[in-house]
């Protein structure tokens, strides 16, 4: 599962290079209940389903043949998960003969069956169930990560929405597969499967495994049979039905396919084209070849999360579908979901977390895999930038410092899909890779996969695999990073003893609790040459010394930039200047840019930022542009020539939009012609940035142009139009902004928040202001667990302040006070 926040939501929470304050010791609170792994009484063996659909009622009519066996002890009963179904018949199969069985189904969730005899451990039996699934009548609740839990979804089944495709798709994780077929819906069960789907013949189907037959099934109908011969968990079962166009590729003789709406099919290879390279890279790096018979990816409408790693058949949300113009603006952060879900085919599908408490062996591994592929495909800077952005998201959410990575206590299993299991966990895996070295680390992963293939794993089994290949005891690492909360918070200080020619580095851990054991490297640069010192911190305060021939130009603590900590590095700007120019890594340069951004009165600081404008990696160029304080006359004077030069030379569509927005702050009419030219850019981001830039010089002209772009469906362009309306529009433009916000997926809504808030501060229509405040409040409440509450509250209070003295001031003040109270009261 790649939830929406992992795809890039809430970037506004963690855009500053200055990270969140150190977490305080958590306040005492009632502990959530202990969540034991599901006890195995019966084991699933094989699941055969025959299903057809009633689009009008939004029902699934199903027949299930479920083969099981007692796990360890004889039993004469069976409990199956079956959520909100009508159960028509339950029988024991003997060949083709059915013997009705007694059962109870009083709570609408647990189907309890009397087997009529006692079966011994390992003795197989097959149960037949005739049932109706009614997902739209289920009383279930989703979460911020997975917004619904009804398992089976009918999209526009009555074609009521013009232009929207008719689709059916499923979402099993965490335990929603049992909303569309009876099963033991736990991650520590594995079963082979066969699914027969009878569907309108005009539609395409997709499921796990191989399509083994297609047969006419009456007028306008067809039955497709999909078969999965290798066992996997019930939550990984999937179906999809709709008008999809299939684009096929191959890898090592296996089919690789992409299912897209016909409109996007011409761009299938551009969207998913790196999939075969990912298959090759991961298979080689892990030493375990992709284990399944095929790999398909499908894009569905109205999906309830980001993406889902159903075995052999990943389902993506519609944000993955892009035209050729939109693909010009795609960063690796948007492509990384393709890598993430593919890596799950090993870590999650081939070996599955034995309980939701151990979701780290699925999700942390998949988050780690994103940077791993970025390094292979795009270089070390791209990988480090990706990890750095993820780490900052975690560190910007102090509430997550109170959670263990392996979490045996939680209220709902949905709670574990958070910044700890994803971003923090991925950083921990990357840190372990650095500590063990690549050869040992990947040998450990290979052993874990081979030892537990087609079964289940947990963090301790992964630890044992690493210990076996490394010869080291790693309990210390797992105890502090996997089974305890928090992270180190450190200060770093330096001293040079000129008489003894010894450099001292003092690192102090200031977080509550026991100090972390921290191995890291320190690089000393003397006369342009680097010397490395490997150290290990075991105490709360520790000083490391190094004899040197002369005072170093730079001391670079944590030279690999992989330690998961929150640091205050007390070194002077001159050292950061040297670090930018000489230290080799993206994070070295990113830290230097962040340090230079804090005091731009210094010519040295401005020099770092100006150098950053021409950095080899686009991410540093972006950070430098974002850091420039052009409202400072000295900074503007120094930066103007460099910015003009970049305008003439910058070709990267990922940088050009930010460059346009930055140059616009100069409000120099000499740039108007360039802005006008970029209004015709093929890049939506560049076109939108040019529109916003033009508004700083010619607001009336930009407003008129914005109105002509209202029919464009692209979200980036809608954001730019909204920004122009925020500055120059009237209540007449509010319906456009409101409707675009309502139609946007969560990422788009977060992008629209700031300009919408600006607009609400200027409108005199009390109804419009209240409508907007309600929408912002709803976002703050819904995504509070991901840190959305603070920026939303800041925006709401900004609206109230901007409205002071205006006709709608009283209504705005009242609505903001109520909204803030609701956000603060939300859990």
């Amino acid at each position: 599962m790649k939830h929406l926040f992992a795809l890039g939501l809430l970037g506004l929470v963690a855009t500053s290079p200055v990270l969140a304050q150190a977490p305080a010791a958590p306040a005492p609170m009632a502990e959530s209940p202990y969540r034991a792994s599901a006890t195995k009484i019966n084991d699933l063996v094989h699941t055969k389903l025959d299903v057809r659909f009633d689009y009008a009622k939004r029902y699934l009519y199903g027949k299930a043949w479920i083969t099981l066996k007692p796990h360890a002890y004889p039993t004469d009963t069976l409990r199956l998960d079956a959520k909100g179904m009508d159960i028509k018949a339950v029988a024991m199969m003997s060949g083709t003969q059915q013997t009705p069985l007694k059962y109870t189904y009083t709570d609408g969730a647990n189907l309890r069956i009397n087997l009529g005899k006692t079966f011994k451990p390992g003795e197989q039996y097959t149960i037949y169930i005739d049932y109706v699934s009614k997902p739209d009548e289920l009383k279930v609740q989703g979460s911020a990560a997975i917004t619904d839990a009804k398992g089976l979804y009918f999209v526009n089944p009555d074609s009521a929405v013009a232009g929207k495709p008719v689709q059916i798709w499923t979402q099993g994780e965490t335990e929603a597969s049992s909303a569309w077929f009876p099963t033991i819906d736990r991650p520590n069960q594995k079963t082979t499967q066969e699914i027969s789907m009878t569907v309108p013949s005009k539609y395409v189907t997709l499921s796990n495994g191989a399509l083994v037959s297609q047969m006419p099934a009456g007028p306008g109908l067809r039955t497709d049979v999909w078969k999965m011969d290798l066992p996997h968990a019930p939550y990984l079962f999937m179906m999809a039905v709709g008008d999809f166009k299939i684009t096929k590729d191959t890898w090592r003789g296996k089919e690789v396919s992409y299912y897209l709406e016909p409109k996007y099919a011409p761009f299938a290879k551009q969207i998913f084209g790196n999939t075969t390279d990912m298959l090759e890279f991961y298979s080689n790096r892990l030493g375990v070849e992709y284990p399944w018979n095929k790999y398909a990816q499908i894009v569905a409408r109205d999906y309830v999360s980001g993406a889902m790693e159903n075995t052999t058949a990943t389902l993506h949300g519609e944000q993955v579908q892009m035209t050729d113009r939109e693909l010009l603006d795609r960063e690796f952060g948007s492509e990384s979901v393709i890598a993430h879900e593919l890596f799950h085919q090993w870590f999650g599908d081939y070996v599955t977390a034995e309980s939701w408490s151990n979701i780290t062996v699925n999700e942390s591994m998949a988050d780690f895999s994103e940077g791993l592929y970025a390094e292979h495909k795009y270089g070390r800077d791209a990988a480090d930038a990706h990890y750095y952005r993820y780490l900052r998201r975690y560190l910007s959410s102090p509430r997550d410092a109170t959670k263990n990575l392996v979490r045996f206590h939680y209220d709902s299993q949905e709670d574990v899909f958070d910044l700890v299991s994803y971003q923090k966990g991925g950083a921990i895996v990357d840190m372990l890779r650095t500590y063990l070295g690549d050869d040992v680390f990947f040998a450990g992963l290979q052993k874990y996969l081979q030892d537990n293939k087609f079964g289940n794993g947990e963090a301790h089994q992964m630890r044992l695999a690493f210990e076996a290949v490394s010869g080291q005891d790693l309990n210390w690492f797992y105890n502090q990073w996997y089974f305890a909360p928090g992270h180190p918070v450190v200060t770093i200080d330096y001293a040079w003893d000129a008489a003894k020619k010894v450099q001292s580095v003092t690192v102090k851990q200031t977080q509550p609790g026991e100090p972390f054991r921290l191995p890291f490297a320190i690089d000393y640069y003397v006369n342009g040459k680097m010397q490395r010192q490997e150290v290990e911190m075991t105490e709360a305060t520790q000083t490391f010394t190094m004899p040197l021939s002369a005072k170093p130009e730079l001391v670079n603590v944590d030279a690999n930039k992989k330690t998961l900590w929150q640091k205050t590095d007390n070194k002077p700007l001159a050292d950061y200047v040297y670090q930018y120019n000489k230290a080799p890594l993206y994070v070295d340069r990113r830290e230097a840019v962040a340090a230079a951004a804090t005091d731009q009165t210094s010519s040295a600081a401005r020099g770092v930022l100006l150098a950053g404008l021409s950095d080899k990696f686009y991410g540093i160029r972006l950070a430098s542009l974002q850091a420039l304080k052009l409202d400072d006359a000295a900074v503007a004077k120094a930066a103007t020539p460099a910015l003009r030069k970049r305008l003439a030379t910058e070709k990267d569509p990922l940088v050009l939009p930010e460059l346009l927005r930055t140059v616009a702050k100069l409000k120099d009419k000499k740039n108007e012609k360039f802005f006008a030219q970029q209004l015709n850019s093929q890049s939506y981001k560049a076109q939108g940035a040019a529109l916003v830039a033009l508004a700083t010089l010619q607001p009336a002209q930009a407003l008129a142009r914005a109105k002509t772009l209202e029919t464009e469906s692209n979200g980036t362009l809608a954001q730019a139009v909204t920004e122009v309306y925020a500055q120059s529009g009237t209540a007449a433009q509010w319906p456009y902004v409101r409707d675009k916000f309502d139609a946007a997926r969560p990422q788009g809504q977060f992008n629209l928040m700031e300009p919408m808030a600006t607009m609400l501060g200027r409108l005199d229509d009390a109804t419009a202001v209240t409508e907007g405040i309600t929408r912002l409040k709803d976002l703050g409440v819904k995504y509070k667990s991901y840190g959305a509450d603070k920026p939303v509250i800041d925006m709401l209070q900004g609206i109230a302040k901007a409205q002071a003295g205006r006709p709608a001031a009283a209504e705005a003040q009242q609505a903001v006070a109520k909204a803030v109270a609701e956000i603060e009261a939300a859990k």
Side-chain angles (χ1 to χ4, degrees), residues 377-398:
K377 184 69 176 180
Y378 304 110
R380 176 71 185 269
D381 278 355
D384 287 351
H386 192 70
Y387 288 137
Y388 180 74
R389 182 164 56 247
Y390 274 10
L391 180 57
R392 284 162 56 210
R393 285 186 196 159
Y394 160 70
L395 290 173
S396 296
S397 181

Side-chain angles (χ1 to χ4, degrees), residues 351-421:
V351 182
T352 307
E354 58 87 31
S355 69
W356 303 120
S357 296
N358 274 278
I359 197 65
T360 177
V361 299
N362 291 10
E363 296 302 347
S364 301
M365 296 306 301
D367 249 42
F368 161 74
S369 77
E370 298 171 26
L372 186 65
Y373 183 72
E375 182 180 1
H376 159 76
K377 184 69 176 180
Y378 304 110
R380 176 71 185 269
D381 278 355
D384 287 351
H386 192 70
Y387 288 137
Y388 180 74
R389 182 164 56 247
Y390 274 10
L391 180 57
R392 284 162 56 210
R393 285 186 196 159
Y394 160 70
L395 290 173
S396 296
S397 181
R399 78 188 70 206
D400 287 307
T402 65
K403 303 174 184 176
N404 290 6
L405 182 53
V406 176
R407 213 168 313 158
F408 292 109
H409 295 266
Y410 53 78
D411 293 321
S412 164
Q413 66 265 20
E414 308 289 342
D415 296 346
V416 302
F417 293 83
D418 59 11
L419 292 166
V420 176
S421 296

